[in-house]
Coordinates of all heavy atoms in Angstrom, one line a residue:
N7 N 163.3 78.3 39.8 CA 163.8 76.8 39.5 C 163.4 75.8 40.5 O 163.9 75.8 41.6 CB 165.2 76.8 39.2 CG 166.2 77.7 39.9 OD1 166.4 78.5 39.6 ND2 166.8 77.5 41.0
P8 N 162.4 75.0 40.1 CA 161.9 74.1 41.2 C 162.9 72.9 41.4 O 163.8 72.6 40.6 CB 160.7 73.5 40.4 CG 160.5 74.2 39.2 CD 161.7 75.1 39.0
S9 N 162.9 72.5 42.6 CA 163.8 71.4 43.1 C 163.1 70.3 43.8 O 161.9 70.7 44.5 CB 164.9 71.9 44.1 OG 165.7 72.8 43.5
T10 N 163.5 69.1 43.8 CA 162.7 68.1 44.4 C 163.5 67.6 45.8 O 162.9 67.7 46.8 CB 162.4 66.9 43.6 OG1 163.6 66.5 43.0 CG2 161.4 67.3 42.5
N11 N 164.6 67.1 45.5 CA 165.4 66.5 46.7 C 166.7 67.1 47.0 O 167.2 66.9 48.1 CB 165.5 65.0 46.4 CG 164.3 64.2 46.4 OD1 163.3 64.5 47.1 ND2 164.1 63.2 45.5
I12 N 167.4 67.7 46.0 CA 168.7 68.4 46.3 C 168.8 69.7 45.6 O 168.1 70.0 44.6 CB 169.8 67.4 45.8 CG1 169.8 67.3 44.2 CG2 169.9 66.1 46.5 CD1 171.0 66.7 43.6
L13 N 169.7 70.5 46.3 CA 170.1 71.7 45.7 C 171.7 71.5 45.3 O 172.4 71.2 46.2 CB 170.0 72.9 46.5 CG 168.5 73.3 46.9 CD1 168.6 74.4 47.9 CD2 167.7 73.7 45.7
K14 N 172.0 72.0 44.1 CA 173.4 72.0 43.8 C 173.9 73.4 43.9 O 173.5 74.3 43.1 CB 173.7 71.5 42.3 CG 175.1 71.4 42.1 CD 175.3 70.7 40.6 CE 176.8 70.7 40.3 NZ 176.9 70.1 39.0
I15 N 174.7 73.8 44.9 CA 175.2 75.1 45.1 C 176.6 75.2 44.4 O 177.4 74.4 44.7 CB 175.3 75.4 46.6 CG1 174.0 75.1 47.3 CG2 175.8 76.8 46.8 CD1 172.8 75.9 46.8
E16 N 176.8 76.2 43.5 CA 178.2 76.4 43.1 C 178.5 77.9 43.4 O 177.7 78.8 43.2 CB 178.0 76.3 41.4 CG 177.9 74.8 41.1 CD 177.9 74.7 39.6 OE1 178.3 75.6 38.8 OE2 177.4 73.6 39.1
Y17 N 179.7 78.0 43.8 CA 180.3 79.3 44.3 C 181.7 79.4 43.9 O 182.3 78.5 43.5 CB 180.0 79.4 45.8 CG 179.9 80.8 46.3 CD1 178.6 81.5 46.1 CD2 180.9 81.5 46.9 CE1 178.5 82.8 46.5 CE2 180.8 82.8 47.3 CZ 179.5 83.4 47.2 OH 179.5 84.8 47.6
L18 N 182.2 80.6 44.1 CA 183.6 80.8 43.7 C 184.5 80.0 44.6 O 184.4 79.8 45.8 CB 184.0 82.3 44.0 CG 183.1 83.3 43.1 CD1 183.5 84.7 43.5 CD2 183.6 83.1 41.6
P19 N 185.6 79.3 44.0 CA 186.5 78.6 44.8 C 187.3 79.5 45.8 O 187.4 80.7 45.6 CB 187.5 78.0 43.7 CG 187.2 78.6 42.4 CD 185.9 79.4 42.6
N20 N 187.7 78.9 46.9 CA 188.5 79.5 48.0 C 187.7 80.6 48.7 O 188.3 81.6 49.1 CB 189.8 80.0 47.4 CG 190.7 79.0 46.7 OD1 190.7 77.9 47.3 ND2 191.3 79.3 45.6
Q21 N 186.4 80.6 48.7 CA 185.6 81.5 49.4 C 184.8 80.8 50.4 O 184.3 79.7 50.3 CB 184.6 82.1 48.5 CG 185.0 82.9 47.4 CD 185.2 84.4 47.8 OE1 184.5 84.9 48.8 NE2 186.2 85.1 47.3
K22 N 184.9 81.2 51.7 CA 184.1 80.7 52.8 C 182.8 81.3 52.8 O 182.7 82.6 52.9 CB 184.8 80.9 54.1 CG 186.1 80.1 54.2 CD 186.7 80.3 55.7 CE 187.9 79.5 55.8 NZ 188.5 79.6 57.0
V23 N 181.8 80.5 52.7 CA 180.4 81.0 52.4 C 179.6 80.3 53.4 O 179.6 79.1 53.6 CB 179.8 80.8 51.0 CG1 178.5 81.2 50.9 CG2 180.8 81.4 50.0
I24 N 178.6 81.1 54.0 CA 177.6 80.7 54.9 C 176.3 80.6 54.2 O 175.9 81.7 53.6 CB 177.5 81.4 56.2 CG1 178.8 81.3 57.0 CG2 176.3 80.9 57.1 CD1 178.8 82.2 58.2
L25 N 175.7 79.5 54.1 CA 174.4 79.5 53.4 C 173.3 79.2 54.4 O 173.4 78.3 55.2 CB 174.4 78.3 52.3 CG 173.1 78.0 51.6 CD1 172.7 79.1 50.8 CD2 173.2 76.7 50.9
E26 N 172.2 80.0 54.4 CA 171.0 79.8 55.2 C 169.9 79.4 54.3 O 169.7 80.0 53.2 CB 170.7 81.0 56.0 CG 171.8 81.3 57.1 CD 171.3 82.5 58.0 OE1 170.8 83.4 57.4 OE2 171.6 82.4 59.1
I27 N 169.0 78.5 54.7 CA 167.8 78.3 54.1 C 166.6 78.8 55.0 O 166.7 78.3 56.2 CB 167.6 76.8 53.7 CG1 168.6 76.3 52.8 CG2 166.2 76.5 53.1 CD1 168.6 74.8 52.5
K28 N 165.8 79.7 54.5 CA 164.8 80.3 55.3 C 163.5 80.0 54.7 O 163.4 79.9 53.5 CB 165.0 81.8 55.5 CG 166.2 82.1 56.3 CD 166.3 83.5 56.6 CE 167.5 83.8 57.4 NZ 167.4 85.0 58.2
N29 N 162.4 79.9 55.4 CA 161.1 79.8 54.9 C 160.4 81.2 54.7 O 161.1 82.1 55.0 CB 160.1 78.9 55.8 CG 159.9 79.5 57.2 OD1 160.2 80.7 57.5 ND2 159.5 78.7 58.2
V30 N 159.3 81.2 54.2 CA 158.7 82.6 53.8 C 158.4 83.3 55.1 O 158.2 84.6 54.9 CB 157.5 82.4 53.0 CG1 157.8 81.9 51.5 CG2 156.3 81.5 53.5
Q31 N 158.3 82.8 56.2 CA 158.2 83.6 57.5 C 159.4 84.2 58.0 O 159.5 84.9 59.0 CB 157.6 82.7 58.6 CG 156.1 82.4 58.3 CD 155.9 81.2 57.4 OE1 156.8 80.4 57.2 NE2 154.7 81.1 56.8
G32 N 160.6 83.8 57.3 CA 162.0 84.3 57.7 C 162.6 83.4 58.9 O 163.7 83.7 59.2
L33 N 162.1 82.2 59.1 CA 162.6 81.3 60.1 C 163.8 80.6 59.3 O 163.6 79.9 58.3 CB 161.6 80.2 60.5 CG 162.1 79.3 61.6 CD1 162.4 79.9 62.9 CD2 160.9 78.2 61.8
T34 N 164.9 80.6 60.0 CA 166.1 79.8 59.5 C 165.9 78.3 59.8 O 165.9 78.0 60.9 CB 167.4 80.3 60.2 OG1 167.6 81.7 59.9 CG2 168.6 79.6 59.5
L35 N 165.9 77.5 58.7 CA 165.7 76.1 58.8 C 167.1 75.4 58.7 O 167.1 74.3 59.5 CB 164.9 75.6 57.7 CG 163.5 76.3 57.5 CD1 162.8 75.8 56.2 CD2 162.7 76.0 58.8
R36 N 168.0 75.9 58.1 CA 169.4 75.4 58.1 C 170.4 76.4 57.9 O 170.2 77.4 57.2 CB 169.5 74.5 56.8 CG 168.7 73.3 56.8 CD 169.4 72.0 56.3 NE 168.4 70.9 56.3 CZ 168.0 70.4 55.1 NH1 168.5 70.8 54.0 NH2 167.1 69.5 55.2
T37 N 171.6 76.1 58.4 CA 172.8 77.0 58.2 C 174.0 76.1 57.8 O 174.2 75.0 58.6 CB 173.1 77.7 59.5 OG1 172.0 78.6 59.9 CG2 174.4 78.6 59.3
I38 N 174.5 76.2 56.7 CA 175.5 75.5 56.1 C 176.8 76.2 55.9 O 176.7 77.2 55.1 CB 175.0 74.7 54.9 CG1 173.6 73.9 55.1 CG2 176.0 73.8 54.3 CD1 172.8 73.7 54.0
N39 N 177.9 75.7 56.2 CA 179.3 76.3 56.0 C 179.7 75.7 54.6 O 180.0 74.5 54.6 CB 180.3 76.1 57.1 CG 179.9 76.9 58.2 OD1 179.6 78.1 58.1 ND2 179.9 76.2 59.3
I40 N 179.8 76.4 53.6 CA 180.3 76.0 52.3 C 181.8 76.3 52.2 O 182.2 77.4 52.3 CB 179.6 76.6 51.1 CG1 178.1 76.2 51.3 CG2 180.1 76.1 49.8 CD1 177.2 76.9 50.2
Q41 N 182.5 75.2 51.9 CA 184.0 75.3 51.9 C 184.5 74.9 50.5 O 185.6 75.2 50.1 CB 184.7 74.4 52.8 CG 184.0 74.4 54.3 CD 184.9 75.2 55.2 OE1 186.1 75.3 55.1 NE2 184.4 75.7 56.3
N42 N 183.7 74.5 49.6 CA 184.1 74.0 48.3 C 183.3 74.9 47.3 O 182.4 75.5 47.6 CB 183.8 72.4 48.0 CG 184.4 71.6 49.1 OD1 185.6 71.8 49.4 ND2 183.6 70.7 49.6
A43 N 183.8 74.7 46.0 CA 183.2 75.5 45.0 C 181.8 74.9 44.6 O 181.0 75.6 44.1 CB 184.0 75.5 43.6
Q44 N 181.6 73.6 45.0 CA 180.3 73.0 44.7 C 179.9 72.3 46.0 O 180.7 71.7 46.7 CB 180.3 72.0 43.6 CG 180.6 72.6 42.2 CD 180.5 71.5 41.1 OE1 180.6 70.3 41.4 NE2 180.4 72.0 39.9
Q45 N 178.6 72.3 46.2 CA 178.1 71.6 47.4 C 176.6 71.2 47.1 O 175.9 71.9 46.4 CB 177.9 72.6 48.6 CG 177.3 72.1 49.8 CD 178.3 71.7 50.9 OE1 179.5 72.2 50.8 NE2 177.9 71.0 51.9
I46 N 176.3 70.0 47.4 CA 175.0 69.4 47.3 C 174.3 69.5 48.6 O 174.9 69.1 49.7 CB 175.1 67.9 46.8 CG1 175.9 67.7 45.6 CG2 173.7 67.2 46.8 CD1 175.2 68.4 44.3
V47 N 173.2 70.0 48.6 CA 172.4 70.2 49.9 C 171.1 69.3 49.8 O 170.2 69.5 48.8 CB 171.9 71.7 50.0 CG1 171.1 71.8 51.3 CG2 173.2 72.5 50.2
D48 N 170.9 68.4 50.7 CA 169.7 67.5 50.6 C 168.6 68.3 51.2 O 168.6 68.8 52.4 CB 169.9 66.3 51.5 CG 168.9 65.3 51.5 OD1 167.8 65.5 50.9 OD2 169.1 64.2 52.1
I49 N 167.4 68.5 50.5 CA 166.3 69.1 50.9 C 165.0 68.2 50.9 O 164.0 68.7 50.9 CB 166.0 70.4 50.0 CG1 165.8 70.0 48.6 CG2 167.1 71.5 50.2 CD1 165.2 71.2 47.8
Q50 N 165.2 67.0 51.0 CA 164.1 65.9 51.0 C 163.2 66.2 52.1 O 161.9 66.0 52.0 CB 164.6 64.5 51.1 CG 165.2 64.0 49.8 CD 165.5 62.5 50.0 OE1 165.1 61.7 49.2 NE2 166.2 62.1 51.1
D51 N 163.6 66.5 53.2 CA 162.9 66.8 54.4 C 162.0 68.0 54.5 O 161.2 68.2 55.3 CB 163.7 66.7 55.7 CG 164.7 67.7 55.8 OD1 165.3 68.1 54.7 OD2 165.0 68.1 56.9
L52 N 162.3 69.0 53.5 CA 161.5 70.2 53.5 C 160.1 69.9 52.9 O 160.1 69.3 51.9 CB 162.2 71.3 52.7 CG 163.6 71.8 53.2 CD1 164.2 72.8 52.3 CD2 163.4 72.4 54.7
S53 N 159.2 70.6 53.4 CA 157.8 70.6 52.8 C 157.8 71.3 51.5 O 158.6 72.2 51.2 CB 156.8 71.2 53.8 OG 156.7 70.5 55.0
N54 N 156.9 70.9 50.6 CA 156.7 71.7 49.3 C 156.4 73.1 49.7 O 155.6 73.5 50.4 CB 155.6 71.1 48.4 CG 156.0 69.7 47.9 OD1 157.1 69.3 48.1 ND2 155.1 69.0 47.4
G55 N 157.1 74.1 48.9 CA 156.8 75.5 49.0 C 158.0 76.3 48.6 O 158.9 75.8 48.1
I56 N 157.9 77.6 48.9 CA 159.0 78.7 48.5 C 159.8 78.8 49.7 O 159.5 78.9 50.9 CB 158.3 79.9 48.1 CG1 157.4 79.8 46.9 CG2 159.3 81.0 47.9 CD1 156.5 80.9 46.7
Y57 N 161.2 78.8 49.4 CA 162.2 78.9 50.4 C 163.2 80.0 49.9 O 163.3 80.3 48.7 CB 163.0 77.7 50.7 CG 162.1 76.6 51.3 CD1 161.3 75.8 50.5 CD2 161.9 76.6 52.6 CE1 160.5 74.9 51.1 CE2 161.1 75.6 53.4 CZ 160.3 74.8 52.5 OH 159.5 73.9 53.1
Y58 N 164.0 80.6 50.7 CA 164.9 81.6 50.4 C 166.3 81.0 50.8 O 166.6 80.5 51.8 CB 164.8 83.0 51.2 CG 163.5 83.6 50.8 CD1 162.3 83.4 51.5 CD2 163.5 84.4 49.7 CE1 161.2 84.0 51.0 CE2 162.4 85.1 49.2 CZ 161.1 84.9 49.9 OH 160.0 85.4 49.4
L59 N 167.3 81.2 49.9 CA 168.7 81.0 50.2 C 169.4 82.3 50.5 O 169.2 83.2 49.7 CB 169.3 80.3 48.9 CG 168.8 79.0 48.6 CD1 169.4 78.5 47.2 CD2 169.1 77.9 49.6
I60 N 170.2 82.4 51.6 CA 170.9 83.5 51.9 C 172.4 83.1 51.9 O 172.8 82.2 52.6 CB 170.6 84.1 53.3 CG1 169.1 84.1 53.6 CG2 171.3 85.3 53.6 CD1 168.3 85.0 52.7
Y61 N 173.1 83.7 50.9 CA 174.5 83.5 50.7 C 175.3 84.6 51.4 O 175.1 85.7 51.2 CB 175.0 83.4 49.3 CG 174.3 82.4 48.4 CD1 173.1 82.8 47.9 CD2 174.9 81.1 48.3 CE1 172.4 82.0 47.0 CE2 174.1 80.4 47.3 CZ 173.0 80.6 46.8 OH 172.3 79.8 46.0
Q62 N 176.2 84.3 52.3 CA 177.0 85.4 53.1 C 178.5 85.0 53.1 O 178.8 83.9 53.6 CB 176.4 85.6 54.4 CG 177.1 86.6 55.2 CD 176.4 86.8 56.5 OE1 175.4 86.3 56.9 NE2 177.1 87.7 57.3
N63 N 179.3 85.9 52.6 CA 180.7 85.8 52.8 C 181.2 87.0 53.5 O 180.4 87.9 53.9 CB 181.5 85.4 51.5 CG 181.5 86.6 50.5 OD1 181.2 87.7 50.9 ND2 181.8 86.2 49.2
E64 N 182.5 87.2 53.5 CA 183.1 88.4 54.2 C 182.7 89.7 53.6 O 182.6 90.8 54.2 CB 184.6 88.3 54.1 CG 185.2 87.2 54.9 CD 186.6 87.0 54.6 OE1 187.2 87.6 53.7 OE2 187.2 86.0 55.3
D65 N 182.3 89.8 52.2 CA 182.0 91.0 51.5 C 180.6 91.2 51.1 O 180.3 92.3 50.9 CB 182.9 91.1 50.3 CG 184.3 90.9 50.5 OD1 184.8 91.5 51.5 OD2 185.1 90.2 49.8
I66 N 179.8 90.1 51.0 CA 178.4 90.3 50.4 C 177.5 89.4 51.0 O 177.9 88.3 51.5 CB 178.6 90.2 48.8 CG1 177.5 90.6 48.1 CG2 179.0 88.8 48.5 CD1 177.6 90.8 46.7
I67 N 176.3 89.8 50.8 CA 175.1 89.0 51.2 C 174.2 88.9 50.0 O 173.8 90.0 49.4 CB 174.3 89.5 52.4 CG1 175.2 89.5 53.6 CG2 173.1 88.5 52.7 CD1 174.5 90.1 54.9
L68 N 173.9 87.7 49.5 CA 172.9 87.6 48.4 C 171.8 86.7 48.7 O 171.9 85.8 49.6 CB 173.8 86.8 47.1 CG 174.9 87.4 46.6 CD1 175.6 86.5 45.7 CD2 174.6 88.7 45.9
T69 N 170.7 87.1 48.2 CA 169.4 86.3 48.5 C 168.7 85.8 47.2 O 168.7 86.5 46.2 CB 168.4 87.2 49.2 OG1 169.0 87.7 50.4 CG2 167.2 86.5 49.6
S70 N 168.3 84.6 47.2 CA 167.6 84.1 46.0 C 166.6 83.2 46.6 O 166.5 82.8 47.8 CB 168.5 83.2 45.1 OG 169.2 82.2 45.7
K71 N 165.6 82.8 45.9 CA 164.6 81.9 46.3 C 164.4 80.6 45.4 O 164.9 80.6 44.3 CB 163.3 82.6 46.5 CG 162.5 83.0 45.2 CD 161.3 83.7 45.6 CE 160.6 84.5 44.4 NZ 159.4 85.1 44.7
F72 N 163.9 79.5 46.0 CA 163.7 78.4 45.2 C 162.3 77.7 45.6 O 161.8 78.1 46.7 CB 164.8 77.3 45.3 CG 164.9 76.7 46.6 CD1 164.3 75.5 46.9 CD2 165.6 77.3 47.7 CE1 164.4 74.8 48.0 CE2 165.7 76.7 48.9 CZ 165.1 75.5 49.1
L73 N 161.8 77.0 44.7 CA 160.5 76.3 44.9 C 160.9 74.8 45.2 O 161.5 74.2 44.2 CB 159.6 76.5 43.8 CG 158.3 75.7 43.8 CD1 157.4 76.2 44.9 CD2 157.6 75.9 42.4
K74 N 160.4 74.3 46.3 CA 160.6 72.8 46.6 C 159.2 72.2 46.1 O 158.2 72.5 46.6 CB 160.8 72.7 48.1 CG 160.6 71.2 48.7 CD 161.6 70.3 48.1 CE 161.6 68.9 48.9 NZ 160.5 68.1 48.9
I75 N 159.4 71.2 45.3 CA 158.2 70.5 44.8 C 158.3 69.0 45.1 O 159.3 68.5 45.4 CB 157.9 70.7 43.3 CG1 159.1 70.3 42.5 CG2 157.6 72.1 43.0 CD1 158.8 70.3 41.0

C-alpha cells in the first residue's frame, strides 16, 4: 500500500505501542510512542522508496512494509 504524505496507524485501544520506521538498510529513522487507537504519522520528509514499520508492545513484535511515493 503506497503512501505519499501520511500513514494512518490503527491499533488496539489501551495498548502502549512503540512504532519504528526503518529503511531497507535497517537504519531506524523514527521511533514513535503510540498511545491512542489511531495515530497519524507525517512521512513527507522521507524519500520515495520502501520502508519497514516495526510495531512493538509488551507481548509481540510485528513487521510490515510500505512504499513511499
